[in-house]
Amino acid sequence: MAKIVVVTSGKGGVGKTTTSAAFSAGLAKAGHKTVVVDFDVGLRNLDLIMGCERRVVYDFVNVINGEANLNQALIKDKRVEGLAILPASQTRDKDALTQDGVERVLNELSEDYDYIVCDSPAGIERGAHLAMYYADAALIVSNPEVSSVRDSDRVLGLLSSKTRRAENGDAPVEEHLLLTRYAASRVGKGEMLSVEDVCEILAIDLLGVIPESTSVLNASNAGVPVILEEKTDAGQAYVDAVARFLGEEREHRFLTEKKGFLGRLFGG
Amino acid sequence: MSFLNYFRSQKKRSAAVAKERLQIIVARERSHRGGPDYLPMLQEELLQVIRKYVKVEDDAVKMQLDRAGDCEVLELNITLPEDSEQEARRG
């Protein structure tokens, strides 16, 4: 039985797909069979971030409609053993996802995989709703910025009311905060919400802080999940977050700015 | 800490403003959460009705939905301005 993890945020552009790619690669590297599913039907991008865009033949909607079976649609990652991608359809719209269809596909994946990571589209419409509906755990991706934090809180409300677990009265969906694009230097100057501020407002478990980093764009340019770039700060921050998710205790890094002598003298 | 901080500390930092604004809006949105969809509209219409008779502020009508056993209890709290009675008599 697989654990279903939704990567969600409400707001767009905060790093859901980057996180889905990094997190699923991290789980697979840690030895857990993992499949990452793109729920952003009509605007698929996970394939591009994972670097397998030219290998897409069939997609999620084809499987739901019975036009292909799962094995035809799943793309096995060439770098990480035990990692597969189920791409979204690019030509259909979000109504092509049906609740029954999604449940059937997740049940089938559940037989073969330990983790199913669902990359949610932005917004709170059908695609986002279905991505979170069957979740056991949720990664709330948020930037230290007012609109993103507010949307995250809205999504937390939906997780506690509009999911299968909520409707069945089961144990609630586990909620984990992943704060991305964190610029410690700007926090130091009082120009950006700090990790403590965001945690105080959202009041959920902090899984990790991913620093604002050039390595994220470099990795997406190359189609490599940033977690595989082990020398980069963002890559290491994702490694830590995955380890914490798997129950390990690790101290949070990248929360303060690295400063040289002049920086310490003149910086804020 | 650097000596430049001394000159910078005058103005309120934008992050502090952001936090304050977020705390207020998030608290307000949470209080509406879980209730039926018509609550915000009901609140707005009640405000319109009250305004036919008394001049009140935008936040004069406060609603709280609670659960007591099998019942849902809608608590309404309407704040009238202090001199409203005299005004009403005159009007």
Side-chain angles (χ1 to χ4, degrees):
Chain A
M1 197 61 191
K3 185 166 183 173
I4 302 177
V5 184
V6 62
V7 178
T8 181
S9 70
K11 191 173 181 295
V14 296
K16 282 183 296 297
T17 302
T18 301
T19 297
S20 299
F23 219 78
S24 54
L27 288 169
K29 273 197 92 176
H32 304 282
K33 277 195 82 181
T34 303
V35 57
V36 55
V37 183
D38 191 349
F39 275 76
D40 205 347
V41 174
L43 290 169
R44 94 169 157 223
N45 275 319
L46 182 69
D47 55 335
L48 211 50
I49 301 299
M50 299 283 292
C52 63
E53 68 278 9
R54 291 170 63 181
R55 296 168 64 204
V56 177
V57 184
Y58 294 109
D59 58 55
F60 196 7
V61 174
N62 292 139
V63 178
I64 285 178
N65 293 344
E67 294 149 6
N69 64 41
L70 258 180
N71 282 331
Q72 290 173 295
L74 284 174
I75 303 169
K76 300 249 183 297
D77 191 87
K78 286 181 172 165
R79 298 155 297 211
V80 187
E81 175 79 27
L83 175 61
I85 299 129
L86 182 59
S89 169
Q90 181 69 323
T91 51
R92 310 292 280 271
D93 63 42
K94 291 188 173 61
D95 294 332
L97 292 179
T98 60
Q99 181 132 350
D100 286 353
V102 170
E103 184 169 3
R104 253 188 298 119
V105 172
L106 293 182
N107 283 341
E108 204 178 327
L109 288 171
S110 197
E111 290 167 17
D112 288 337
Y113 290 89
D114 303 324
Y115 287 97
I116 303 172
V117 176
C118 302
D119 183 17
S120 172
I124 50 173
E125 307 296 319
R126 188 181 186 82
H129 169 69
L130 288 173
M132 73 167 66
Y133 187 77
Y134 296 99
D136 300 306
L139 305 186
I140 320 293
V141 183
S142 192
N143 292 164
E145 178 269 329
V146 284
S147 54
S148 175
V149 175
R150 179 203 208 170
D151 289 359
S152 295
D153 192 68
R154 176 95 169 88
V155 163
L156 287 171
L158 296 176
L159 283 167
S160 62
S161 61
K162 308 276 183 196
T163 51
R164 177 167 65 174
R165 281 175 171 273
E167 285 177 6
N168 292 351
D170 297 336
V173 179
E174 274 173 44
E175 297 161 344
H176 304 281
L177 174 64
L178 206 64
L179 199 56
T180 58
R181 307 201 66 166
Y182 195 73
S185 62
R186 306 194 68 190
V187 173
K189 288 185 191 131
E191 296 172 355
M192 183 181 264
L193 289 165
S194 70
V195 59
E196 291 84 6
D197 292 340
V198 179
C199 287
E200 190 184 326
I201 291 162
L202 295 179
I204 57 170
D205 164 66
L206 176 68
L207 188 69
V209 178
I210 313 298
E212 170 84 64
S213 166
T214 52
S215 56
V216 174
L217 184 58
N218 282 332
S220 79
N221 285 343
V224 178
V226 68
I227 200 168
L228 301 180
E229 306 282 8
E230 288 162 356
K231 295 215 170 73
T232 64
D233 48 359
Q236 289 171 12
Y238 272 117
V239 170
D240 286 356
V242 171
R244 284 187 206 107
F245 185 78
L246 294 171
E248 213 177 292
E249 291 224 358
R250 290 201 184 185
E251 214 169 305
H252 288 280
R253 294 191 275 172
F254 314 109
L255 299 185
T256 48
E257 193 185 0
K258 277 182 241 128
K259 275 192 218 164
F261 170 73
L262 284 177
R264 274 201 291 275
L265 201 59
F266 295 105
Chain B
M1 272 293 167
S2 79
F3 65 86
L4 286 181
N5 274 1
Y6 174 79
F7 299 102
R8 283 190 187 146
S9 61
Q10 313 299 330
K11 211 175 67 191
K12 196 172 184 185
R13 304 270 201 264
S14 69
V17 179
K19 185 181 179 186
E20 205 178 299
R21 291 175 59 218
L22 265 172
Q23 280 172 324
I24 294 166
I25 190 70
V26 163
R28 207 176 86 186
E29 286 173 350
R30 278 180 194 163
S31 70
H32 290 307
R33 195 178 288 165
D37 295 341
Y38 60 74
L39 271 190
M41 238 158 73
L42 176 63
Q43 184 165 8
E44 183 54 36
E45 279 180 43
L46 279 171
L47 189 67
Q48 301 303 331
V49 172
I50 293 161
R51 280 197 173 148
K52 279 189 185 171
Y53 306 95
V54 195
K55 221 167 141 187
V56 291
E57 298 291 323
D58 286 346
D59 59 354
V61 179
K62 296 227 164 61
M63 291 210 284
Q64 178 86 30
L65 195 68
D66 286 315
R67 197 170 279 276
D70 289 344
C71 292
E72 277 190 313
V73 180
L74 181 66
E75 198 179 300
L76 261 182
N77 204 331
I78 302 166
T79 321
L80 298 180
E82 279 179 14
D83 53 353
S84 63
E85 266 181 48
Q86 291 154 12
E87 260 181 48
R89 256 180 245 135
R90 254 183 270 136

